[in-house]
């Protein structure tokens, strides 16, 4: 009656019509461990799934699930903290930020672990005491909206430098996921400083996507240097044993430069 999995896992299942009948019998689905792509909700309903759908969030260091929210449309949040758990949005100085100001999501309460075994320095950096409670600095960027729900905004360490400019990869992925035909996306910084670096956008879709039209979609929201110069459409995203997208297994993009190098080698 109940199923818990990652967005990547359920997306792959939905691509197999044979699973729809079994999934339609579910009464509750808890989806977590990765960001919930907004188009996934409509895809679940289109497959005949009537179950209550929840989006959960929580690092392993806080006993996995720390917050949860019911998903009823494509406006996705990670909700509010569970019982015995509190969530704070802190700035880099450890001050609590006001609603809608982005900062580091810090989880406090009974579910917070004691630290990392044999890693005292890392434990001291990440496990703190806040408001007299054991707390964990998640490294995730978030804000609390006007309804008091937490909006997940990606990893704070998922920032890269491209030609000296700071780029938020999660922000690009969020805009790509808003393109109607795209199911999932991942953006990576590729290349090297010597030969030149560039952004590559990987995505899955039910049909062929016009990459020029996708670029125009991105231009409406993102500045020019944040738009991937290479796109790769995949049949499905590679996933690891935990059901999360395995970024290390994504194929190397075939750029024009590499094609020319290959031709010369022949």
């Amino acid at each position: 009656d109940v199923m818990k999995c990652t967005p990547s896992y359920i997306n792959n299942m939905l691509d197999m019509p044979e699973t729809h009948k079994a999934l339609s019998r579910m009464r509750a689905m808890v989806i977590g461990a990765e960001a919930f792509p907004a188009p996934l909700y409509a895809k679940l309903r289109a497959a005949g799934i009537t179950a209550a759908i929840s989006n959960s969030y929580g690092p392993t260091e806080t006993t996995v699930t720390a917050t949860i929210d019911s998903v009823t449309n494509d406006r996705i949040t990670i909700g509010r903290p569970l019982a015995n758990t509190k969530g704070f949005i802190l700035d880099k100085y450890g001050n609590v930020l006001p609603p809608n100001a982005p900062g580091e999501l810090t989880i406090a309460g009974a579910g917070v672990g004691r630290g990392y075994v044999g890693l005292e320095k890392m434990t001291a950096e990440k496990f703190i005491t806040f408001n007299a409670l054991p707390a964990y600095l998640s490294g995730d960027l978030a804000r609390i909206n006007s309804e008091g729900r937490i909006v997940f905004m990606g990893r704070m360490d998922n920032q890269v430098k491209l030609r000296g400019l700071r780029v938020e990869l999660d922000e690009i992925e969020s805009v790509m996921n808003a393109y109607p035909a795209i199911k999932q996306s991942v953006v990576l910084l590729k290349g090297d400083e010597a030969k030149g670096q560039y952004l590559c956008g990987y995505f899955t879709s039910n049909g062929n996507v016009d990459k020029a039209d996708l670029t125009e979609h991105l231009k409406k929201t993102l500045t020019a240097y944040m738009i991937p110069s290479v796109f790769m459409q995949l049949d499905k995203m590679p996933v690891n044993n935990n059901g999360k997208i395995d970024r290390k297994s994504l194929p190397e993009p075939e750029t024009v430069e590499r094609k020319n190098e290959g031709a010369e080698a022949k």
Side-chain angles (χ1 to χ4, degrees):
D1 293 334
V2 180
M3 179 179 184
K4 186 173 184 179
C5 64
T6 66
S8 300
Y9 190 86
I10 193 64
N11 247 321
N12 287 339
M13 288 189 73
L14 292 173
D15 287 339
M16 297 181 287
E18 296 84 356
T19 68
H20 292 190
K21 184 177 179 181
L23 292 173
S24 69
R25 297 171 182 165
M26 294 291 164
R27 299 177 62 187
M29 299 184 77
V30 181
I31 298 173
E34 292 177 316
F36 191 117
L40 178 57
Y41 177 77
K43 186 176 179 181
L44 287 163
R45 297 304 188 212
I49 296 169
T50 59
I53 299 170
S54 298
N55 182 33
S56 69
Y57 162 87
T60 302
E61 292 86 345
T62 65
T63 325
V64 188
T65 300
T67 74
I68 199 164
D69 195 17
S70 294
V71 182
T72 57
N73 52 42
D74 59 359
R75 286 188 286 182
I76 310 297
T77 81
I78 56 173
R80 296 183 172 91
L82 304 181
N84 296 323
T85 305
K86 294 184 181 296
F88 302 96
I89 308 297
L90 305 182
D91 65 14
K92 61 182 179 179
Y93 304 107
N95 300 311
V96 177
L97 291 166
N100 289 310
E104 184 169 13
L105 176 54
T106 301
I107 305 298
V112 175
R114 287 178 289 175
Y116 301 112
V117 176
L119 299 172
E120 293 182 4
K121 183 180 178 181
M122 187 181 294
T123 295
E125 291 173 351
K126 304 294 286 183
F127 291 85
I128 63 171
T129 299
F130 190 81
N131 279 13
L133 294 170
Y136 173 71
L137 297 168
S138 71
D140 291 326
L141 188 66
R143 63 181 176 86
I144 298 177
N145 67 16
S146 56
E147 297 176 340
R149 289 181 166 86
I150 302 169
V151 180
F152 176 80
M153 301 172 67
R155 290 288 302 169
M156 295 180 70
D157 58 8
N158 206 15
Q159 299 176 349
V160 297
K161 281 289 186 72
L162 177 63
R163 297 186 291 276
L165 298 168
R166 189 178 71 176
V167 176
E168 300 274 0
L169 299 180
D170 293 300
E171 183 179 354
I172 304 171
E173 291 170 8
S174 177
V175 179
M176 284 186 67
N177 288 337
Y179 188 77
I182 286 181
K183 297 187 296 182
Q184 282 181 297
S185 69
V186 172
V187 178
L188 297 180
L189 179 67
K190 306 299 289 186
D192 55 53
E193 293 184 0
K195 293 185 178 181
Q197 293 180 307
Y198 59 94
L199 296 175
C200 178
Y202 299 87
F203 64 90
T204 58
S205 174
N206 287 326
N208 289 326
V209 170
D210 185 328
K211 294 174 183 177
D213 190 58
L214 174 58
T215 299
E216 290 301 315
H217 165 78
L218 297 174
K219 285 181 179 178
K220 294 175 183 177
T221 307
L222 303 173
T223 51
Y225 66 86
M226 296 178 71
I227 298 172
S229 55
V230 177
F231 293 102
M232 287 194 71
Q233 183 168 350
L234 308 176
D235 293 333
K236 63 180 181 179
M237 289 288 179
V239 295
N240 58 26
N241 291 335
N242 294 326
K244 296 182 181 180
I245 294 175
D246 186 354
R247 293 171 182 254
K248 294 180 180 179
S249 295
L250 290 165
E252 282 297 311
E254 193 176 55
T255 64
V256 173
E257 180 182 343
R258 288 178 181 169
K259 285 181 181 178
N260 290 340
E261 288 175 355
E264 290 174 6
K266 291 178 181 178

